[in-house]
Amino acid sequence: MPKQINQNPEQIARDKIDKMLREAGWIVQSKNKVNLSAGRGIALRETNTVSGSADYMLFVDRVPIGVIEAKKESEGHRLTVVEEQSLRYATEPIKIGKFTLDNQKPFVYESTGTITRFTDYRDPKPRSRTVFSFHKPETIVEWLKKGKSLRERILSIPKLDEAGLRKAQIKAINNLEISFKNNKPKALIQMATGAGKTFTAATFVYRLLKHADAKRILFLVDTKNLGEQAEQEFMTFQPNDDNRKFTELYNVQRLSSSYIASDSQVCISTIQRLYSILKGEELDESAEEENPNENSWLKKKVSEKKAIPVEYTPKVPIEQFDFIVIDEAHRSIYNLWKQVLDYFDAFLIGLTATPDKRTFGFFNENVVSEYPYEESVIDGVNVPYDVYTIDTEISQQGETIKAGWFVDRRDKLTRKKRWQQEDEDTDYSRNDLDKKVVNPSQIRNIIKEYKRALQTTIFPKRIDENGEYEVPKTLVFAKTDSHADDIIKMIREEFDEGNDFCKKITYKIKEDPKSVLNRFRNSYYPRIAVTVDMIATGTDVKPLEVLLFMRDVRSANYFEQMKGRGTRTIVSDSLQLVSKTAKSKTHFVIVDAVGVTKSKKTDSRPLERQPTVPMKDLLQAITMGVADEDLFLSLANRIIRLEKQITEKEKDKLLEYSGGKNLKQITKELITAFDQDIIDEKAQIEINKTPKVDQTPALIKEEKKKVQDQLILEASKTFNGELNDYIENIRKEHDQIIDSVNIDTVTKSEWDTTSVDKSTEIIKDFTEYLEANKDDIKALSIFYNQPYSRRDITFKMIKDVMEKLQFDKPLLAPETLWDAYVTLEDVKSKQPKDELTALVSLIRRACGIDSRLKAYDKTIDENFKTWMFKQNAGQHNRFTPEQLDWLRMLKEHVVSSYHIETDDLDYTPFDAKGGKGKMYQLFGNDMAAIINELNEVLAA
């Protein structure tokens, strides 16, 4: 007879709990076979206490330290109700016949074998939490040796030393530590791109290791590139209270295998690698190159029937990390990957510049610090941006390829061309560009106009010592890898440059993308880089001054991340190492060639989850029974696109292979299979057929699973070899048409109106600042109220104005102000090279001394010429040539120093010409009068 399976719910729960305990290193024993010396950790079933029997009593090194209260699975929702019972068993003495063993047992669990809750009663305010499994005996030993629990140790973290930290970083760290002290399991730090999220993380990680004695902290990323950046940040971080670097104090390990070193205190890992470790699988390194929403592990899973959930892994226990810092927390921590975070018993800290609704929900709406981009710009942490728009006729309206034309057709992937005559007219819209149709003239005209606008309008002053224009570091966003190749070809041609001038930075290039990225960041070449997704998010390229969008973006979060590539500040010296003609980075420019700044944005997630997976692999995976949400939604997205491309004849033919289902119906079934609302609705219909008393959580869960399995089956069984081949073949037929006949023209090339608004706001801010400070800053008081005293304004006074302005209003740099006036007024003068001279020019314009913005050095030149003309009026050549040379020297000194004193004649350049004595010899008793007169007339 087959062995009878015990279906008693309580026993099923106990069996699961026994298995969980053994996996975590506990030896499970019955009372009649007790041997507390059999191992370090013993879980003794049915242990009596004074008031009743604990389901499991936990012993470590023969000492009772905790209890487990077991409940059947259907009572998972009632675990918090039995906490009093568990606590009673934990605090009461163990009863052994007439004897008792009194011992504190602070570690208390309630479990159904599916849901487990844990309370450490050593905590200041003990609060239960859900855990994936049980903690290991060795961990309990470590906890007891430390005496105080982690949550109690957190309370003793000292006040933050704020030296060297920005205001936003101070706020984030202080509020995060308050969140820890309140025992909140999740916290979110929202901090603008470029505001120093990783430095902030390194600071609080150091404090947790030093002051809270945290065992190990995980820094979680979703690309290898971000992991390398984080590692560099920890290597260079030096705390305020120690003269050693972080890595001299604590071991930092960036995971490149499944091995987590026992002595590592900070682990840096991709979420993909951690997932593979918990699954016991080898990780294909390419999986770490792009974030999980843009990369596929699907090829390895084609043979699997279902994505297997994470299971307990003894070598990586749930207590492996005390804290997990999740970089770029707006992405990659949902769906399949969420299991990694659910596995560990750790505090979770999210870092992101662009949270969405999912992010707020995941972190329990516990946003400990918000520091938006706008605030970071005001603080001078990031730079603002202007928008320059380039429109072309075909970019906006599309075109028509006429029947009878001979055109090239190109395979999207191989780029192999064939020549053919068109049988019928083909209309294409702006959305078809670089997908269905490639129009080289459209790409060429955008690039050509970008080059012209750069030199005349966007950054017109970038002329090097050889008289050549220096292109600012530019990042171009392309739609696809193929589109990127087309753009690179046009850039090299139109700028008349070689291969080094413009490079592609994607994961698919033959060169090491990391090496190309480093050259783009730190070397003179390349000047322009073209990417699709690789450096769209999370990658620092501080010298970037232009983002050229040649692809639209409909995700609000993704667009904000892409914009963030240009916001980084950089010190002038570092900028000039790679861009010699750039004075300073005061702003960056978005060049919008596709309407990206105007298109409607959404927070909804895209259907496409596996853009790098060939369609034939998606079709084969579903045919073979792979049931994965990302797979189903990606295929649905491809079929939606295909449905819009194929002809009516092709649609009719497809019905023969699909059992009469059209592409819209197939798409709907694929999406419905993972639509939780529809699953809940259909399941509820079945649940309602069951008496209320029997509607347990287990039944509801089982019914939902049945419904979803049926929906998955319904969607999957449509696919077969013949249908798959037909879909793949008609997809291939729709390759790209190369429209080399229709020539494009530029219809708009101008600053966006928002730039005008922004310039108006900048000038208003500057004028209001001067007004507000005119009585407190001596130079401003003179400019506003004492015209005669302008002759007494000194170099030091102007420098004081500049320093106060830089401290109070870092965004109001002279170059930014000058550009704002240029946007609004017909400014004839070029900005003076000297910043202080430019500042005087701007103050004079804002105060109304000058009716239009004029370079102050030119004003002095003009005033000098006018004065000289008056001196010579009525008497020819009043001054000798030698006297004229001295007068010009005096004028040049006023240009650089704004004022001249008699004592200045003892210094350069006057001392070389004889100094004060020589001037007196030349001008006699008129010397002092001439100096006073020049101070007055030149400053007029």
Side-chain angles (χ1 to χ4, degrees):
M1 286 180 65
K3 186 178 178 181
Q4 196 79 21
I5 298 174
N6 189 340
Q7 292 298 321
N8 179 284
E10 285 83 359
Q11 189 56 48
I12 291 172
R14 301 268 181 120
D15 291 344
K16 287 182 178 178
I17 291 169
D18 286 356
K19 180 175 181 290
M20 290 166 64
L21 284 165
R22 291 189 183 104
E23 286 175 337
W26 296 88
I27 298 171
V28 182
Q29 294 180 350
S30 300
K31 281 193 298 184
N32 58 349
K33 293 187 178 179
V34 60
N35 177 6
L36 297 182
S37 299
R40 190 149 208 189
I42 305 295
L44 187 61
R45 296 193 193 99
E46 302 297 342
T47 305
N48 291 328
T49 69
V50 172
S51 67
S53 176
D55 293 326
Y56 295 84
M57 188 69 67
L58 299 178
F59 292 80
V60 169
D61 294 337
R62 300 180 57 85
V63 177
I65 52 85
V67 300
I68 302 172
E69 184 62 23
K71 294 294 175 186
K72 57 188 177 183
E73 186 172 12
S74 62
E75 294 183 328
H77 65 294
R78 296 185 67 249
L79 288 183
T80 54
V81 178
V82 298
E83 286 169 353
E84 286 188 22
Q85 180 185 357
S86 308
L87 177 59
R88 191 172 70 248
Y89 294 152
T91 53
E92 288 179 348
I94 297 172
K95 190 174 182 184
I96 311 160
K98 294 181 181 180
F99 301 97
T100 59
L101 177 61
D102 196 2
N103 212 79
Q104 289 300 309
K105 302 174 279 296
F107 306 111
V108 177
Y109 300 86
E110 296 87 27
S111 180
T112 66
T114 302
I115 304 295
T116 302
R117 293 188 68 82
F118 167 67
T119 308
D120 184 344
Y121 279 95
R122 300 174 306 154
D123 290 343
K125 292 180 181 178
R127 185 187 305 160
S128 68
R129 60 184 184 268
T130 300
V131 290
F132 189 86
S133 187
F134 299 106
H135 303 96
K136 294 171 74 75
E138 293 80 5
T139 303
I140 301 290
V141 171
E142 286 181 29
W143 287 353
L144 290 170
K145 279 182 181 176
K146 289 189 175 183
K148 296 179 180 180
S149 72
L150 174 63
R151 283 155 183 79
E152 187 174 357
R153 299 198 301 272
I154 284 172
L155 295 180
S156 62
I157 294 178
K159 188 175 183 296
L160 175 66
D161 180 354
E162 299 177 359
L165 292 170
R166 296 168 178 161
K167 181 175 64 176
Q169 294 170 331
I170 293 166
K171 178 183 176 183
I173 295 166
N174 283 334
N175 287 354
L176 178 65
E177 290 177 357
I178 290 170
S179 178
F180 291 152
K181 289 173 182 180
N182 291 335
N183 195 13
K184 293 188 176 180
K186 297 178 181 179
L188 179 65
I189 294 173
Q190 186 271 318
M191 191 176 282
T193 300
K197 292 192 297 294
T198 314
F199 185 87
T200 302
T203 304
F204 68 68
V205 164
Y206 168 75
R207 287 170 59 76
L208 288 169
L209 290 169
K210 179 171 183 176
H211 301 299
D213 195 17
K215 178 185 177 183
R216 186 179 293 111
I217 297 173
L218 172 66
F219 194 93
L220 199 62
V221 296
D222 59 16
T223 65
K224 184 180 179 183
N225 187 30
L226 286 178
E228 290 168 348
Q229 283 187 196
E231 184 178 32
Q232 284 299 313
E233 190 76 58
F234 279 104
M235 288 172 68
T236 57
F237 179 82
Q238 183 175 324
N240 288 336
D241 57 358
D242 203 299
N243 59 10
R244 291 169 291 178
K245 294 287 176 65
F246 188 100
T247 45
E248 295 178 90
L249 296 164
Y250 300 106
N251 290 325
V252 176
Q253 178 192 15
R254 183 164 61 83
L255 297 186
S256 56
S257 68
S258 62
Y259 172 68
I260 300 175
S262 59
D263 62 349
S264 66
Q265 286 140 312
V266 174
C267 279
I268 301 169
S269 174
T270 62
I271 199 163
Q272 299 94 301
R273 182 166 295 282
L274 217 51
Y275 176 79
S276 70
I277 291 172
L278 294 178
K279 293 291 297 299
E281 298 175 347
E282 285 297 317
L283 181 69
D284 181 349
E285 287 196 9
S286 66
E288 294 183 300
E289 291 180 344
E290 299 177 72
N291 83 62
N293 294 331
E294 296 156 7
N295 177 275
S296 175
W297 69 99
L298 189 61
K299 288 182 180 178
K300 292 171 62 179
K301 292 179 174 293
V302 168
S303 60
E304 294 179 9
K305 292 295 178 187
K306 206 168 188 180
I308 303 168
V310 165
E311 294 181 355
Y312 185 82
T313 306
K315 67 175 184 176
V316 186
I318 64 169
E319 63 272 26
Q320 185 81 355
F321 307 106
D322 286 336
F323 298 86
I324 299 178
V325 183
I326 307 150
D327 196 20
E328 302 296 354
H330 61 281
R331 66 190 196 195
S332 311
I333 58 171
Y334 312 103
N335 305 324
L336 184 75
W337 308 100
K338 180 175 175 288
Q339 296 180 80
V340 173
L341 300 176
D342 289 342
Y343 179 85
F344 293 105
D345 179 26
F347 285 97
L348 303 183
I349 307 106
L351 304 175
T352 181
T354 54
D356 58 20
K357 292 174 185 175
R358 291 181 306 168
T359 320
F360 289 125
F362 180 83
F363 286 96
N364 303 335
E365 300 179 46
N366 182 28
V367 185
V368 296
S369 179
E370 290 181 281
Y371 189 58
Y373 169 69
E374 291 77 12
E375 198 174 328
S376 74
V377 169
I378 291 169
D379 289 346
V381 171
N382 280 324
V383 296
Y385 67 90
D386 292 327
V387 177
Y388 190 89
T389 302
I390 298 175
D391 287 345
T392 73
E393 192 171 340
I394 291 175
S395 296
Q396 294 301 307
Q397 300 172 15
E399 252 298 354
T400 301
I401 298 166
K402 300 287 187 181
W405 286 359
F406 285 91
V407 297
D408 284 329
R409 284 181 173 260
R410 182 177 74 187
D411 185 279
K412 292 176 186 176
L413 296 178
T414 66
R415 297 177 73 80
K416 182 180 178 181
K417 290 182 182 179
R418 69 179 193 280
W419 198 42
Q420 81 174 39
Q421 187 176 24
E422 296 300 294
D423 297 328
E424 56 185 2
D425 288 358
T426 302
D427 295 326
Y428 62 90
S429 69
R430 57 182 294 173
N431 292 330
D432 295 323
L433 282 166
D434 308 301
K435 298 169 187 172
K436 176 180 173 182
V437 176
V438 174
N439 185 308
S441 177
Q442 182 256 351
I443 300 173
R444 185 182 300 281
N445 272 276
I446 289 173
I447 299 305
K448 189 184 291 186
E449 184 56 27
Y450 172 56
K451 178 185 176 185
R452 187 203 67 78
L454 263 184
Q455 298 179 4
T456 61
T457 309
I458 300 175
F459 286 107
K461 304 167 189 170
R462 301 297 176 85
I463 307 298
D464 66 18
E465 57 197 17
N466 300 317
E468 298 289 327
Y469 184 81
E470 180 185 70
V471 175
K473 288 278 186 176
T474 301
L475 181 62
V476 184
F477 291 115
K479 297 172 186 174
T480 63
D481 218 54
S482 175
H483 186 212
D485 286 337
D486 292 334
I487 292 169
I488 289 167
K489 176 177 176 290
M490 294 299 180
I491 287 174
R492 290 172 178 172
E493 286 180 13
E494 290 303 319
F495 281 85
D496 189 23
E497 294 285 355
N499 294 347
D500 283 346
F501 179 81
C502 180
K503 289 282 189 181
K504 182 164 68 173
I505 305 181
T506 71
Y507 290 105
K508 297 179 182 178
I509 60 175
K510 290 185 179 178
E511 289 183 80
D512 175 17
K514 185 178 165 188
S515 171
V516 180
L517 177 58
N518 280 335
R519 293 207 304 275
F520 184 48
R521 184 187 285 132
N522 301 313
S523 302
Y524 189 79
Y525 287 113
R527 302 307 300 165
I528 301 177
V530 184
T531 192
V532 179
D533 287 309
M534 179 179 165
I535 50 177
T537 64
T539 303
D540 287 345
V541 184
K542 291 182 178 180
L544 263 180
E545 294 185 88
V546 182
L547 303 180
L548 171 53
F549 279 86
M550 293 186 72
R551 62 171 286 194
D552 199 359
V553 184
R554 297 305 171 94
S555 162
N557 272 349
Y558 195 40
F559 183 51
E560 290 302 316
Q561 285 287 314
M562 293 164 89
K563 277 170 31 182
R565 299 317 97 217
T567 64
R568 301 294 206 273
T569 55
I570 182 172
V571 296
S572 298
D573 290 348
S574 298
L575 176 61
Q576 287 162 5
L577 287 175
V578 296
S579 294
K580 300 169 188 173
T581 61
K583 290 182 183 176
S584 59
K585 185 175 176 180
T586 59
H587 68 295
F588 73 100
V589 176
I590 291 175
V591 178
D592 184 359
V594 289
V596 66
T597 56
K598 300 287 195 302
S599 64
K600 188 176 180 182
K601 302 289 186 284
T602 175
D603 286 333
S604 62
R605 56 191 178 141
L607 282 177
E608 182 61 82
R609 308 294 183 78
Q610 310 298 337
T612 59
V613 181
M615 191 168 187
K616 64 179 181 180
D617 286 358
L618 297 176
L619 291 164
Q620 184 188 359
I622 287 186
T623 305
M624 295 295 291
V626 178
D628 181 275
E629 182 179 6
D630 284 5
L631 163 61
F632 272 54
L633 294 183
S634 290
L635 184 57
N637 185 52
R638 307 281 180 93
I639 292 176
I640 288 170
R641 285 172 10 205
L642 184 64
E643 200 272 338
K644 293 175 182 176
Q645 295 173 332
I646 66 176
T647 65
E648 291 303 319
K649 186 187 290 187
E650 288 168 334
K651 289 179 182 178
D652 291 341
K653 182 72 175 172
L654 181 136
L655 297 175
E656 297 177 18
Y657 302 110
S658 65
K661 294 179 183 178
N662 61 33
L663 289 178
K664 286 184 178 178
Q665 189 177 349
I666 293 171
T667 300
K668 184 178 179 182
E669 289 180 353
L670 287 168
I671 296 171
T672 300
F674 288 90
D675 187 323
Q676 203 57 51
D677 289 337
I678 291 175
I679 292 167
D680 291 348
E681 185 181 321
K682 288 180 176 290
Q684 195 61 49
I685 293 170
E686 296 302 317
I687 292 164
N688 289 341
K689 297 175 183 177
T690 307
K692 283 274 185 190
V693 69
D694 295 326
Q695 291 180 17
T696 63
L699 174 74
I700 294 169
K701 182 179 178 182
E702 183 182 353
E703 203 56 58
K704 287 181 180 180
K705 184 177 184 304
K706 282 181 187 175
V707 169
Q708 184 166 27
D709 287 347
Q710 185 58 39
L711 290 172
I712 289 171
L713 178 62
E714 188 64 31
S716 300
K717 69 182 184 183
T718 305
F719 297 93
N720 56 70
E722 286 185 323
L723 175 63
N724 296 354
D725 286 343
Y726 185 71
I727 289 175
E728 181 65 11
N729 287 333
I730 60 173
R731 184 194 67 83
K732 285 180 179 176
E733 284 297 314
H734 296 276
D735 47 12
Q736 294 176 318
I737 304 171
I738 311 298
D739 180 7
S740 300
V741 180
N742 288 304
I743 302 303
D744 204 3
T745 55
V746 174
T747 57
K748 183 196 283 187
S749 178
E750 63 188 22
W751 289 112
D752 188 82
T753 52
T754 54
S755 298
V756 175
D757 296 340
K758 198 174 291 183
S759 296
T760 304
E761 191 62 35
I762 287 170
I763 291 170
K764 180 172 176 279
D765 194 15
F766 179 59
T767 306
E768 288 176 352
Y769 178 80
L770 296 185
E771 284 278 358
N773 289 275
K774 67 182 181 183
D775 296 328
D776 299 324
I777 303 175
K778 188 174 181 182
L780 295 184
S781 176
I782 291 171
F783 274 120
Y784 270 93
N785 305 318
Q786 305 165 48
Y788 183 73
S789 297
R790 287 205 296 268
R791 63 182 185 172
D792 297 324
I793 287 178
T794 64
F795 178 84
K796 184 180 182 307
M797 289 182 190
I798 299 300
K799 196 172 181 187
D800 287 345
V801 177
M802 174 69 90
E803 288 175 354
K804 183 158 178 55
L805 187 67
Q806 287 174 334
F807 183 81
D808 294 341
K809 294 279 186 179
L811 284 182
L812 297 181
E815 185 175 358
T816 303
L817 287 161
W818 196 280
D819 289 342
Y821 274 107
V822 168
T823 302
L824 299 177
E825 299 179 358
D826 182 20
V827 178
K828 303 293 186 185
S829 296
K830 286 187 176 180
Q831 182 186 332
K833 290 182 180 179
D834 181 73
E835 273 197 320
L836 294 182
T837 305
L839 180 60
V840 173
S841 311
L842 291 159
I843 292 172
R844 287 170 64 94
R845 173 68 186 91
C847 293
I849 296 169
D850 296 331
S851 59
R852 59 186 175 87
L853 184 60
K854 191 164 54 172
Y856 185 53
D857 52 346
K858 302 303 178 193
T859 299
I860 292 174
D861 282 340
E862 289 173 11
N863 290 346
F864 182 72
K865 285 176 187 175
T866 303
W867 181 74
M868 285 298 301
F869 180 77
K870 287 180 180 177
Q871 298 306 308
N872 290 325
Q875 51 176 314
H876 186 63
N877 295 333
R878 177 187 168 188
F879 299 113
T880 67
E882 193 172 11
Q883 285 177 321
L884 282 173
D885 286 342
W886 270 82
L887 291 172
R888 290 190 188 101
M889 278 197 297
L890 293 173
K891 185 262 292 184
E892 291 301 323
H893 183 82
V894 173
V895 166
S896 60
S897 301
Y898 315 110
H899 179 81
I900 186 164
E901 298 276 356
T902 304
D903 290 344
D904 293 337
L905 300 177
D906 292 331
Y907 302 100
T908 306
F910 306 104
D911 58 345
K913 300 286 187 179
K916 197 185 302 178
K918 180 64 177 176
M919 184 171 178
Y920 185 79
Q921 182 184 337
L922 289 171
F923 292 94
N925 292 332
D926 291 338
M927 182 176 82
I930 284 175
I931 287 175
N932 288 337
E933 193 173 345
L934 280 177
N935 275 326
E936 184 175 342
V937 299
L938 296 183

